[in-house]
Amino acid sequence: LSEQKHIEYTEHDRRFMRRALELAERGKFTTSPNPRVGCVIVKTAPENPEPIIIGEGFHLKKGAPHAEREALSSCQDNPSGSTLYVTLEPCCHFGSTPPCTDAILGAGIKRVVIATQDPYINVSGRGIDILRRNGLQVDVGLLEEQARYLNRFFFHRHQTCLPWITLKCASSLDGKLATTAGESKWITGPESRAHVHELRAEADTVLAGIGTILADDPSLTARPEKLSHDQFIPPMRAILDPLLKIPLQARVLQHHDTSKVWIFTSSQADPEKVQQLQNRGVSVRTVEGDQHSLNLRDVLSTLVDDGVLSVFLEGGPQIHTAFLEQNLVNELLIYIAPILIGGADAPTFYMGHGVATIQDSRRLERIERLTVGEDTLIRGILNWQLK
Ligand SMILES: NC(=O)c1ccc[n+]([C@@H]2O[C@H](COP(=O)([O-])OP(=O)(O)OC[C@H]3O[C@@H](n4cnc5c(N)ncnc54)[C@H](OP(=O)(O)O)[C@@H]3O)[C@@H](O)[C@H]2O)c1
């Protein structure tokens, strides 16, 4: 990658990149497995020193034009000589659409400002190099942290070959996820549950353990109030069930025409039950592990091979603990209700071995606190380098 000198960005640069990030965010329910990308094209007319936006666009979904092409085709004026702001390095390869570097060069753009380099191996610096070699001024790194956070699912997948894992749970003030009798409906209020539906709609997969399916009989579908069915991609539902205890009438096995169901199981599962589930259109995947515990990395690489970038982990406590103990969780979403449940045996979302000293505890980064109805949502990153 050609060297980049230190760049002094102007307030205009920051404003246009913020706009490009806003546009990118519009694709958050539909772009996967592609990244969220926004683009703004800006021109300064000789008679007016104030730069103005002449075109903008964002990537909507796989197979649709990339943000740069959308922005170029929306231009109100000839883009020749203008500056293009884009939240991710332009692609330089033939995927579902032709290279964006060709479109940028063809349009006579003079300067390209890029928030962050693409982690995808077929691009990763090559798009930047092509533009520089063709004489364009290319500045990389403006609002980089925000751009990477927006595309954290995509970055994590391409940097680690693992999906981004968001652990979500509903907890009492004393940290319990259920009563000692196993009841958890409903710890949090209706506003929190509506909030969860929107976040499920952003994920590629909602995953739960068989304990939760047997206790709560959830459907695990995304039913966001503010989105119509064509405004998001229904997440696939995945269940970890080593011995295929799932009842054939379970709610999660319904509606699999609109949202696929995958059950991960062990080689010890009953072949007759496998057949019964397959007859209902369920995909049964045998992974490594035993009758109590499936190999989580094997589960995750099977999901990644199917194009999954993100997993929304919905429990229960044993599954949460297993993912946390193996350091696989990237983000926590803890909805805390103002109630006390008590009971030494009532589960918390993180049991495991624990640490001996507070110094060894894990601390969240980029923490957000939100009031949702009567509940409080604490959200943060557990395991990821933004830079
Ligand atoms: N408040 C909340 O946010 C929330 C969310 C979900 C659930 N819950 C509550 O949590 C309770 C159910 O949770 P749970 O802990 O009993 O069950 P769970 O975590 O949903 O499922 C645990 C089961 O998953 C299977 N499994 C497969 N691979 C595993 C692995 N690598 N590590 C651990 N387990 C693996 C095992 O099945 P086998 O049993 O076949 O060995 C294990 O018993 C219910 O009371 C439910 O209401 C609360």
Side-chain angles (χ1 to χ4, degrees):
L1 179 63
S2 343
E3 276 289 303
Q4 169 166 307
K5 293 183 242 65
H6 176 72
I7 304 148
E8 293 290 340
Y9 291 108
T10 65
E11 215 20 71
H12 287 310
D13 286 335
R14 272 183 265 280
R15 177 161 63 89
F16 294 130
M17 190 58 89
R18 274 198 296 273
R19 174 68 187 149
L21 285 165
E22 254 171 46
L23 291 163
E25 180 138 8
R26 292 195 193 165
K28 72 178 178 182
F29 294 108
T30 46
T31 58
S32 185
N34 283 357
R36 303 155 175 181
V37 189
C39 179
V40 169
I41 300 174
V42 171
K43 203 162 183 177
T44 310
E47 64 283 5
N48 179 6
E50 192 66 15
I52 53 159
I53 295 180
I54 57 164
E56 51 179 39
F58 66 96
H59 182 49
L60 181 64
K61 60 179 182 188
K62 188 174 162 61
H66 288 184
E68 299 90 319
R69 285 183 184 272
E70 284 285 2
L72 285 167
S73 59
S74 79
C75 278
Q76 307 288 316
D77 191 355
N78 184 347
S80 178
S82 60
T83 297
L84 181 146
Y85 295 83
V86 63
T87 58
L88 189 71
E89 175 181 2
C91 71
C92 54
H93 66 295
F94 278 90
S96 321
T97 57
C100 288
T101 44
D102 288 358
I104 294 171
L105 294 172
I109 301 285
K110 211 168 102 199
R111 178 183 176 220
V112 178
V113 184
I114 299 169
T116 185
Q117 192 174 315
D118 192 334
Y120 180 48
I121 197 141
N122 287 339
V123 183
S124 205
R126 288 168 53 206
I128 295 169
D129 251 2
I130 289 172
L131 296 173
R132 282 193 181 141
R133 272 194 269 114
N134 280 276
L136 277 71
Q137 179 185 339
V138 184
D139 299 329
V140 188
L142 176 60
L143 303 187
E144 182 167 24
E145 189 178 319
Q146 289 91 320
R148 288 174 51 115
Y149 181 74
L150 179 69
N151 268 319
R152 58 200 182 280
F153 302 169
F154 181 79
F155 271 83
H156 189 67
R157 149 71 184 90
H158 287 287
Q159 289 171 332
T160 65
C161 285
L162 290 169
W164 179 269
I165 299 189
T166 304
L167 182 160
K168 167 256 151 184
C169 70
S171 163
S172 62
L173 272 181
D174 53 331
K176 305 296 188 186
L177 262 55
T179 65
T180 42
E183 195 184 292
S184 69
K185 277 183 174 167
W186 297 107
I187 292 177
T188 45
E191 295 86 352
S192 290
R193 300 205 296 277
H195 197 248
V196 165
H197 279 287
E198 195 156 316
L199 294 166
R200 273 185 187 168
E202 256 194 72
D204 294 333
T205 308
V206 176
L207 188 147
I210 184 61
T212 297
I213 302 298
L214 296 177
D216 301 341
D217 196 19
S219 73
L220 300 180
T221 52
R223 305 182 295 280
E225 280 171 7
K226 294 188 201 125
L227 300 174
S228 59
H229 70 276
D230 56 349
Q231 289 177 310
F232 70 101
I233 303 170
M236 168 215 288
R237 285 140 330 136
I239 300 148
L240 305 191
D241 185 2
L243 287 179
L244 291 183
K245 293 178 189 160
I246 189 163
L248 293 173
Q249 322 70 23
R251 230 177 252 160
V252 70
L253 299 182
Q254 321 308 319
H255 316 290
H256 58 72
D257 44 336
T258 48
S259 160
K260 288 189 286 182
V261 179
W262 280 24
I263 301 185
F264 289 93
T265 194
S266 71
S267 55
Q268 291 163 54
D270 175 8
E272 202 178 313
K273 185 80 175 270
V274 173
Q275 193 58 54
Q276 287 170 333
L277 287 162
Q278 284 172 341
N279 291 346
R280 282 163 189 256
V282 174
S283 178
V284 181
R285 305 283 167 133
T286 304
V287 289
E288 286 170 28
D290 58 33
Q291 54 178 323
H292 298 300
S293 172
L294 300 175
N295 180 317
L296 300 182
R297 285 188 178 264
D298 202 13
V299 168
L300 296 179
S301 46
T302 311
L303 289 170
V304 160
D305 289 347
D306 202 53
V308 166
L309 301 183
S310 62
V311 171
F312 199 68
L313 197 62
E314 295 238 26
Q318 286 188 56
I319 293 292
H320 286 153
T321 300
F323 275 84
L324 282 164
E325 288 285 269
Q326 292 182 41
N327 215 13
L328 291 168
V329 177
N330 304 101
E331 186 167 0
L332 291 182
L333 282 173
I334 315 295
Y335 293 84
I336 304 169
I339 60 168
L340 297 170
I341 291 180
D345 295 335
T348 66
F349 74 87
Y350 188 18
M351 292 167 303
H353 297 298
V355 293
T357 64
I358 298 300
Q359 208 187 351
D360 289 337
S361 57
R362 287 191 272 171
R363 187 171 283 273
L364 299 188
E365 288 172 69
R366 219 193 148 96
I367 300 158
E368 289 173 51
R369 296 173 186 83
L370 203 68
T371 300
V372 192
E374 292 199 336
D375 307 323
T376 303
L377 168 62
I378 297 192
R379 167 177 204 168
I381 304 288
L382 186 61
N383 195 8
W384 196 49
Q385 302 284 316
L386 279 167
K387 280 264 186 180

